[in-house]
Amino acid sequence: MTDAPASQFTPRVFSGIQPSGGLTLGNYLGALKRFSEMQNEGRDCIYCMVDLHAITVWQDPDKLRHNTRELTAGFIASGVDPEKSILFNQSAVPEHAQLAWIFNTVARMGWMQRMTQWKDKAGKNAEKASLGLFAYPALMAADILVYHATHVPVGEDQKQHIELTRDVAAKFNHDYGVDFFPMTEPVIEGAATRVMSLRDGSKKMSKSDPSDASRINLTDDADTIAKKIRKAKTDPDALPSEAKGLEDRPEARNLVNIYAAFTNKTVDQVLAEVGGKQFGEFKPMLADLAVAKLSPISTEMARLLDDTAEIDRILARGAEQAREITVPILKKTYEIVGLVGA
Ligand code: AMP
Ligand code: TRP
């Protein structure tokens, strides 16, 4: 099989988040914080509100509009600067959906059936799930490859979709005898690539969990954040002084991971400081830290959301910049495939 290693391509970062509800601490530590750090390392970054992915399950149109603008405000408030990164919504750049169609003809049904996100979301009622939900990973591959993106920062849960993106690129390159699409690398880094529920250390923190106490929302005020951390499920033991001591303590490990991610320290560095402390002492430290880091973000989000016209202008400009990249790549793809008039 012809592989086009990412290293042959100019390094370029792409990632996306669905505007399907509020942002959580998981989105912040697993994605947004990393996005702004990669931008500040001087990399070429493209970030997208994936509204076409959101509608693979029903969305109220007014809420979708609101959530797209709120998510944009969340990106900017977390440090993504539209002067440095390209920031836009997926539906405004039609080449994503156009390339996704080509990839629907490249990807195999069996590949999609193996996706754990599909199995989780469709559940036992797969017959009733939308065709779009099934094809979701082909659109995600298109999001990435329509920029020839080489690096995709995501949380742990998205790793399988990035592997599928590589499979799509490899099969396209092989079937058409080209080295056109890169083998994109996932970037899953930091102490909090999988932030867990505050109520159950075996479940991912998620905006769709019915219990609001299970998550910290980026729009929560300082009192709510502190209260949720105080009430977070833990065990009765003191904190260990090394990471090994957290192995069978998922709730304790989660809180230490969160602390480490906020302070850009390793888990061992954090435990060297707080090992031996009881949760009665550690939780207020974590709550203060979380409030100090998150309050400025929620305040800035609220300020930005006061001017939706400005948010829409930022998105429109981002879409224009994005199309400078996507139009030529889609045209070349059509030529490779043999579509006349490309
Ligand atoms: P979603 O909200 O599912 O569209 O996810 C957007 C981004 O946030 C993806 O990169 C996810 O991997 C990341 N993410 C979502 N939830 C978590 C979590 N609990 N821990 C770490 N990363 C997460
Ligand atoms: N599937 C991702 C999620 O649920 C969102 C997404 C869509 C994405 N397209 C992407 C992430 C491209 C990274 C790159 O979180």
Side-chain angles (χ1 to χ4, degrees):
M1 187 157 299
T2 333
D3 268 12
S7 55
Q8 281 178 23
F9 290 79
T10 315
R12 180 174 280 157
V13 174
F14 180 93
S15 198
I17 299 187
Q18 299 186 59
S20 52
L23 285 164
T24 69
L25 179 64
N27 294 134
Y28 176 68
L29 294 177
L32 291 169
K33 179 170 178 286
R34 295 286 302 126
F35 296 174
S36 70
E37 286 165 355
M38 290 182 98
Q39 162 199 283
N40 295 336
E41 286 160 14
R43 300 189 193 221
D44 178 4
C45 294
I46 304 170
Y47 296 124
C48 182
M49 326 297 132
V50 289
D51 47 9
L52 298 176
H53 276 110
I55 58 168
T56 57
V57 295
W58 160 258
Q59 303 290 327
D60 176 87
D62 285 333
K63 283 202 186 122
L64 178 61
R65 264 184 286 274
H66 170 78
N67 287 339
T68 302
R69 291 173 178 139
E70 187 182 73
L71 178 57
T72 309
F75 268 87
I76 299 172
S78 303
V80 173
D81 178 351
E83 298 296 326
K84 295 186 184 154
S85 299
I86 299 182
L87 194 60
F88 69 102
N89 60 310
Q90 191 184 26
S91 57
V93 177
E95 291 73 27
H96 289 238
Q98 288 174 295
L99 185 61
W101 181 259
I102 304 285
F103 288 169
N104 281 342
T105 71
V106 173
R108 306 288 98 179
M109 303 274 284
W111 300 2
M112 302 295 170
Q113 261 149 0
R114 282 194 289 276
M115 293 294 112
T116 43
Q117 187 170 305
W118 156 253
K119 289 192 249 180
D120 290 347
K121 282 201 180 178
K124 290 196 189 74
N125 236 340
E127 293 285 317
K128 294 248 164 67
S130 75
L131 194 52
L133 188 66
F134 189 64
Y136 178 114
L139 177 59
M140 180 159 161
D143 295 339
I144 297 167
L145 295 174
V146 80
Y147 298 92
H148 283 180
T150 54
H151 294 88
V152 180
V154 277
E156 181 68 40
D157 60 333
Q158 294 301 312
K159 193 170 170 203
Q160 198 186 26
H161 285 155
I162 309 296
E163 280 159 10
L164 186 127
T165 299
R166 295 163 65 97
D167 291 342
V168 169
K171 184 160 162 54
F172 182 97
N173 288 347
H174 173 263
D175 289 357
Y176 291 101
V178 291
D179 261 349
F180 187 59
F181 289 117
M183 292 296 120
T184 306
E185 308 274 355
V187 183
I188 302 172
E189 286 174 358
T193 54
R194 195 167 159 81
V195 178
M196 307 311 279
S197 156
L198 298 178
R199 309 299 310 162
D200 176 352
S202 67
K203 275 192 356 205
K204 192 182 84 161
M205 181 181 285
S206 161
K207 54 192 155 200
S208 54
D209 193 312
S211 158
D212 191 60
S214 73
R215 65 179 157 263
I216 293 172
N217 305 298
L218 284 199
T219 47
D220 283 344
D221 60 29
D223 283 351
T224 312
I225 295 173
K227 187 146 51 124
K228 285 179 175 173
I229 292 179
R230 255 199 330 273
K231 291 200 170 159
K233 189 177 163 204
T234 41
D235 55 44
D237 296 339
L239 284 161
S241 43
E242 284 173 23
K244 213 161 34 100
L246 292 171
E247 261 164 28
D248 300 315
R249 301 174 65 188
E251 284 87 12
R253 187 173 61 217
N254 188 38
L255 296 188
V256 174
N257 280 345
I258 293 172
Y259 193 97
F262 271 132
T263 51
N264 290 327
K265 289 182 178 158
T266 65
V267 167
D268 277 322
Q269 283 170 329
V270 172
L271 290 175
E273 287 167 29
V274 303
K277 287 194 197 300
Q278 296 290 336
F279 280 101
E281 202 179 335
F282 178 65
K283 280 180 168 177
M285 286 170 68
L286 179 60
D288 285 350
L289 180 64
V291 167
K293 299 281 182 182
L294 298 181
S295 290
I297 298 178
S298 66
T299 309
E300 180 63 1
M301 275 175 77
R303 191 190 68 77
L304 289 163
L305 270 172
D306 264 350
D307 189 354
T308 53
E310 175 59 14
I311 291 185
D312 291 359
R313 269 194 297 278
I314 290 171
L315 289 175
R317 199 169 59 96
E320 257 175 54
Q321 294 169 326
R323 294 199 75 203
E324 285 173 22
I325 305 170
T326 61
V327 168
I329 290 181
L330 186 80
K331 183 173 170 13
K332 182 74 190 154
T333 310
Y334 274 21
E335 275 167 24
I336 291 171
V337 171
L339 301 173
V340 173

